[in-house]
Amino acid sequence: MQTLSAKQLERKERKKQKLAALANLIKSNDKDRKEQIDEETMTRADKEIAAGQTNGTEEGDADGFTKVTHKKSKKKAQTNNDEEPAMKKSKQENGDSVNEEAEKVNLTEDQYKQLQKELRERKRALESVPYFRLRESGEKALLSYGDNERRPIFLTDIQHLVMSALLGKKSPCKPERWCFFDKPEKVSHTVVLCLDGLSLFHYLSNKDKFEKIDSIFETSLDVLMPPNTKEDGFLMAEELVQVPMTNVQAYNFVEKYGSLEAAIALNKDPTLVIKSIFPVENSEVDKEANDLHPDDKFPRTKLLLSALQMVEEGYPLPLRGELSKQFRTYVLTKKKYAPVTNRSPLFGVDCEMCHTTSGVNELTRISIVNEKYETVYESMVRPDNKIIDYLTQYSGITEEMMKSVTKQLNQVQKEVCEILPDDAILVGHSLNFDLNAMKMMHPYVIDTSICFNLTGGRAKSKLKKLALEFLKENIQEGMGGHDSTEDSISCLKLLKLKLANSLEFGDEHLLQKKRLQEIMMAASGEAVRNNMLAHASKRDKRTAIITSKPLPNIVKELLQKAEEAFPNESTKVVTVDEVNSNKDAVRKCREIQLENALTICNLRIAPEDLLSATFEDTVEKINKWVSKIWKSMAHKGLLVLLMGGAKDCSSGVAKICIKKNKAEVAAEHELSV
């Protein structure tokens, strides 16, 4: 047996002491954490009572995790005067005493090995836990914020979370805009329970009745839902399944469109949520009216920005909550909008601005051009505040030009409202800046800075560069600055050129995806499936849809296409169960959820179930349904509860929770700290 030298023995002894110090620190943290959790549990009821006495509904404070998260984000200033939590003190202030205690410990060889084993197991436990935490955009949607402070997320955000849970790192859609979702591949299975007909209003005004549900979920969020205009509901589940969530659907879409991103963009209605935000008439569109425009190779509506994109790009939207303060002085381009179609007219818009004493750039010129490149509106504008910099090298505006201008912004807004049809599609380059200068909001927009991409990355190309590259035209030449009419025409020309070619034309990001796809398909059709969707070989990705109402035809068509992609498959990847009642749907969900990677269970809450005479019984049933589904779920299962809004309230609720044991909850809490 090899004898260790004095230096090696000394080094090993130091390792033991460090390991003992780490073990003591972990024990100390675990003890402090247990005391903190016990204290929160004991005082939860008192806090809820106090909240109820202040304003009746202190939204979202029923679940402990939401309380902790909100405290860290919103009440940070209050904690500055309080004593720092013991967890942090043990690391900072008590570190020396822990080390002193560790130095006194004389570990035997067996104790040392056992301690090593325990710490390795703890590390493995941490690595195997799917971890969900809200980012700033997600935290702003917490129900613990007041109505005027919240900023809702979108149903698309929830889709991206579900996609990540289903496909892991292979998912084309990630929820990183609003949450941090680590190790999604460790999620055992996902259940999405949709409650169509139940809105945010129903939940907040009767929050005390949802106590059983609130005890399960860690996170409760305000979600803007599609308008619930159909008598039989089901819009929520319909929207959820219209993305390639299984390997069969994905393969089919990839083969057709070149990438999953393109498939998702083309197989969803970008105006679905827009209809909840803007006053869009709920009228049927004639089939002929929605036929392709004779000059277009693909639907122009597929280039419209979705509500989520508009928020991300800084477009003004008439949303309630925090954003409503920002855009409170803005006006709509129309009092009422018609549904947009593939024959809706295009209008190029460009504005020029000058810097004023207000500290921002204000509108001084606006140009609007129609599809024939005819100027339909042109006006100079006198800013409300004094101009201190004409920005002539960019705006083309001079002091001389502004001397005789008297027309003000409110007159321009009125005239723009009069000339635009109610289904107009506005086109511009970074059009968000123009609309903000106009202080106007519009539902249907196409942004050439987004649908053209020369780099394949996130960097946006200037209009001047795009015009030279694709139109072979030099614009914005000379020292006189930009010409808003010229820029409007260039935007329209670029867009019409794209519409005359293909969705990926001028978009290097999509072109790169398509080139890769073509190379893989040339090698082997099967190779596409194995490489592009490697998750299929690791885990069964079957999806089940359960509903107490018949499926809409659009969903049936989608599922049929998925089956046609692999007609020889022995096992159906997507199964559908249309049952007779909500109770049957819940029973079926409990029976089959462990057999599927994703189960979507859609329940219809009828208007008569929400009347005052029946509401309490309805909520009690919902509490039981959710509790039963939760108990039936496997370890590390993800449960998403969606209250999908009603006809009188398009705002809904999303509740999210991952099923974990106590040790994993402690580990996750350790990560969040």
Side-chain angles (χ1 to χ4, degrees):
M1 182 177 176
Q2 186 179 3
T3 306
L4 297 176
S5 66
K7 187 173 276 189
Q8 287 173 320
L9 285 170
E10 185 182 349
R11 206 160 38 233
K12 189 168 185 179
E13 191 60 33
R14 282 201 301 270
K15 277 187 180 180
K16 287 182 181 180
Q17 289 172 3
K18 287 179 181 177
L19 205 63
L22 179 60
N24 284 332
L25 182 60
I26 289 171
K27 286 179 182 177
S28 176
N29 278 347
D30 286 346
K31 181 181 177 183
D32 291 337
R33 187 181 300 113
K34 184 177 183 303
E35 290 174 357
Q36 184 182 5
I37 292 171
D38 288 345
E39 182 182 350
E40 286 174 4
T41 304
M42 289 172 63
T43 59
R44 179 181 294 166
D46 294 336
K47 288 179 181 178
E48 287 181 358
I49 292 170
Q53 290 172 346
T54 56
N55 65 0
T57 54
E58 187 65 29
E59 303 125 337
D61 284 351
D63 54 288
F65 181 85
T66 300
K67 283 175 180 283
V68 174
T69 305
H70 187 42
K71 281 179 182 175
K72 285 192 288 185
S73 62
K74 193 180 178 188
K75 300 186 180 179
K76 188 176 180 181
Q78 295 179 12
T79 59
N80 288 339
N81 299 324
D82 298 335
E83 188 178 4
E84 193 173 2
M87 278 182 291
K88 293 185 179 178
K89 284 206 294 184
S90 64
K91 184 175 180 180
Q92 296 170 1
E93 297 175 12
N94 297 348
D96 294 338
S97 60
V98 171
N99 286 330
E100 288 172 9
E101 185 180 343
E103 287 174 5
K104 298 174 186 177
V105 176
N106 187 17
L107 294 176
T108 66
E109 191 66 25
D110 289 341
Q111 288 174 327
Y112 175 58
K113 289 180 178 178
Q114 179 62 28
L115 192 53
Q116 278 185 316
K117 181 182 176 183
E118 289 175 2
L119 290 174
R120 278 197 301 270
E121 288 175 354
R122 186 180 182 92
K123 184 180 178 182
R124 278 197 294 270
L126 278 168
E127 290 174 346
S128 67
V129 178
Y131 178 54
F132 171 83
R133 175 172 57 82
L134 295 174
R135 296 183 188 271
E136 183 181 359
S137 294
E139 286 217 3
K140 281 289 186 180
L142 284 168
L143 296 185
S144 46
Y145 282 92
D147 288 344
N148 295 326
E149 297 175 299
R150 279 198 309 273
R151 183 190 299 174
I153 61 171
F154 297 89
L155 185 56
T156 306
D157 289 316
I158 301 298
Q159 285 177 325
H160 293 176
L161 175 72
V162 174
M163 290 279 284
S164 289
L166 187 72
L167 305 180
K169 293 179 180 178
K170 298 293 179 181
S171 174
C173 303
K174 294 178 175 60
E176 54 194 24
R177 185 192 83 85
W178 65 282
C179 73
F180 178 80
F181 192 23
D182 191 28
K183 304 179 185 70
E185 67 278 359
K186 300 296 183 182
V187 172
S188 58
H189 65 120
T190 301
V191 175
V192 182
L193 182 60
C194 304
L195 300 175
D196 275 331
L198 201 64
S199 71
L200 176 68
F201 169 78
H202 295 123
Y203 174 74
L204 289 181
S205 58
N206 298 275
K207 195 173 182 308
D208 58 318
K209 296 180 173 64
F210 292 91
E211 186 178 7
K212 289 181 182 177
I213 290 177
D214 288 343
S215 66
I216 294 171
F217 290 92
E218 302 164 346
T219 307
S220 300
L221 304 166
D222 185 347
V223 184
L224 189 63
M225 296 290 182
N228 199 340
T229 56
K230 297 181 181 179
E231 290 298 327
D232 56 353
F234 204 77
L235 273 172
M236 197 167 20
E238 179 181 332
E239 171 76 350
L240 278 170
V241 300
Q242 288 191 69
V243 291
M245 290 184 292
T246 67
N247 60 309
V248 169
Q249 288 171 302
Y251 180 84
N252 186 36
F253 282 129
V254 166
E255 187 176 30
K256 184 174 181 181
Y257 301 111
S259 74
L260 290 179
E261 292 92 334
I264 292 169
L266 280 173
N267 284 278
K268 286 173 61 181
D269 178 2
T271 66
L272 196 60
V273 177
I274 288 288
K275 295 169 187 173
S276 294
I277 302 173
F278 286 88
V280 179
E281 292 177 352
N282 181 33
S283 57
E284 292 293 326
V285 177
D286 293 336
K287 190 174 184 299
E288 290 183 6
N290 207 25
D291 286 344
L292 269 182
H293 190 281
D295 297 334
D296 299 348
K297 291 287 181 64
F298 64 94
R300 56 181 55 183
T301 53
K302 296 306 179 185
L303 293 175
L304 290 170
L305 294 190
S306 67
L308 180 57
Q309 286 176 303
M310 291 174 77
V311 168
E312 289 178 331
E313 295 293 331
Y315 276 81
L317 289 174
L319 286 169
R320 57 181 176 73
E322 185 190 30
L323 288 178
S324 66
K325 299 177 187 176
Q326 184 179 345
F327 305 127
R328 64 183 180 277
T329 60
Y330 287 42
V331 299
L332 297 176
T333 52
K334 304 294 287 186
K335 291 182 179 179
K336 198 83 172 176
Y337 298 93
V340 68
T341 72
N342 295 320
R343 296 291 183 104
S344 292
L346 304 173
F347 291 87
V349 179
D350 190 69
C351 297
E352 305 299 346
M353 287 79 81
C354 294
H355 198 64
T356 71
T357 53
S358 65
V360 299
N361 295 340
E362 293 189 56
L363 182 69
T364 48
R365 182 184 177 187
I366 176 174
S367 300
I368 301 178
V369 178
N370 65 18
E371 279 190 72
K372 296 178 180 179
Y373 311 130
E374 300 167 339
T375 300
V376 295
Y377 186 75
E378 176 76 39
S379 180
M380 301 293 289
V381 189
R382 168 67 60 183
D384 293 335
N385 300 285
K386 184 180 179 181
I387 298 174
I388 56 176
D389 188 346
Y390 288 88
L391 303 172
T392 305
Q393 68 272 34
Y394 305 111
S395 67
I397 305 296
T398 64
E399 183 177 1
E400 187 67 27
M401 292 169 64
M402 295 300 297
K403 278 183 178 178
S404 60
V405 177
T406 57
K407 186 178 290 186
Q408 293 187 306
L409 181 62
N410 60 345
Q411 293 173 271
V412 170
Q413 290 172 335
K414 184 179 179 181
E415 290 167 358
V416 169
C417 289
E418 289 172 353
I419 65 158
L420 289 178
D422 52 11
D423 65 337
I425 298 175
L426 301 188
V427 182
H429 196 77
S430 296
L431 186 58
N432 52 306
F433 292 110
D434 301 293
L435 287 172
N436 276 301
M438 295 161 62
K439 292 192 174 181
M440 301 189 81
M441 298 178 280
H442 190 78
Y444 313 131
V445 296
I446 296 177
D447 195 326
T448 51
S449 74
I450 295 173
C451 61
F452 281 85
N453 184 324
L454 293 179
T455 64
R458 293 188 175 183
K460 293 181 179 179
S461 299
K462 293 183 177 180
L463 180 61
K464 178 181 175 70
K465 189 173 182 179
L466 293 177
L468 184 61
E469 177 76 19
F470 296 102
L471 305 176
K472 309 304 178 189
E473 294 179 0
N474 287 308
I475 64 170
Q476 302 172 357
E477 291 288 298
M479 302 298 292
H482 297 186
D483 182 325
S484 53
T485 302
E486 180 184 56
D487 289 353
S488 298
I489 292 173
S490 295
C491 286
L492 276 176
K493 285 183 176 180
L494 283 166
L495 178 61
K496 293 186 77 173
L497 183 63
K498 186 180 183 77
L499 288 168
N501 284 274
S502 64
L503 179 74
E504 65 271 10
F505 177 84
D507 191 333
E508 188 60 31
H509 178 71
L510 288 182
L511 280 171
Q512 288 173 4
K513 294 279 185 181
K514 192 156 189 174
R515 289 188 198 111
L516 176 63
Q517 183 64 25
E518 288 170 352
I519 292 169
M520 295 168 69
M521 290 184 71
S524 166
E526 191 64 16
V528 179
R529 185 179 179 186
N530 294 334
N531 286 282
M532 191 79 175
L533 304 163
H535 60 274
S537 62
K538 294 180 182 177
R539 192 168 104 194
D540 186 358
K541 295 296 175 183
R542 286 181 294 179
T543 297
I545 302 171
I546 307 165
T547 172
S548 55
K549 292 285 184 181
L551 278 171
N553 289 332
I554 188 171
V555 180
K556 291 180 179 178
E557 290 171 9
L558 186 70
L559 299 179
Q560 185 178 352
K561 289 178 182 178
E563 289 178 22
E564 289 171 356
F566 290 103
N568 298 323
E569 288 284 332
S570 57
T571 305
K572 288 184 71 173
V573 179
V574 184
T575 59
V576 178
D577 286 287
E578 296 177 338
V579 296
N580 296 322
S581 66
N582 289 337
K583 186 176 180 181
D584 290 340
V586 171
R587 185 187 300 115
K588 188 67 178 179
C589 179
R590 294 177 65 200
E591 288 174 2
I592 68 172
Q593 61 175 310
L594 299 183
E595 302 169 9
N596 297 279
L598 172 65
T599 304
I600 299 174
C601 183
N602 196 95
L603 309 181
R604 172 63 176 155
I605 310 301
E608 55 267 24
D609 296 330
L610 300 174
L611 299 174
S612 56
T614 56
F615 189 79
E616 196 163 334
D617 289 340
T618 300
V619 175
E620 186 58 33
K621 287 178 184 177
I622 293 170
N623 277 320
K624 287 180 181 178
W625 293 337
V626 176
S627 297
K628 286 181 178 180
I629 289 174
W630 177 247
K631 287 177 183 176
S632 303
M633 291 188 68
H635 178 225
K636 296 177 187 174
L638 170 68
L639 178 59
V640 179
L641 176 65
L642 293 174
M643 299 180 187
K647 283 190 176 183
D648 54 349
C649 179
S650 61
S651 295
V653 178
K655 289 178 169 287
I656 303 162
C657 194
I658 299 173
K659 197 164 189 176
K660 303 184 184 77
N661 57 37
K662 291 182 180 179
E664 289 167 345
V665 171
E668 182 174 286
H669 191 75
E670 188 173 285
L671 282 172
S672 66
V673 173

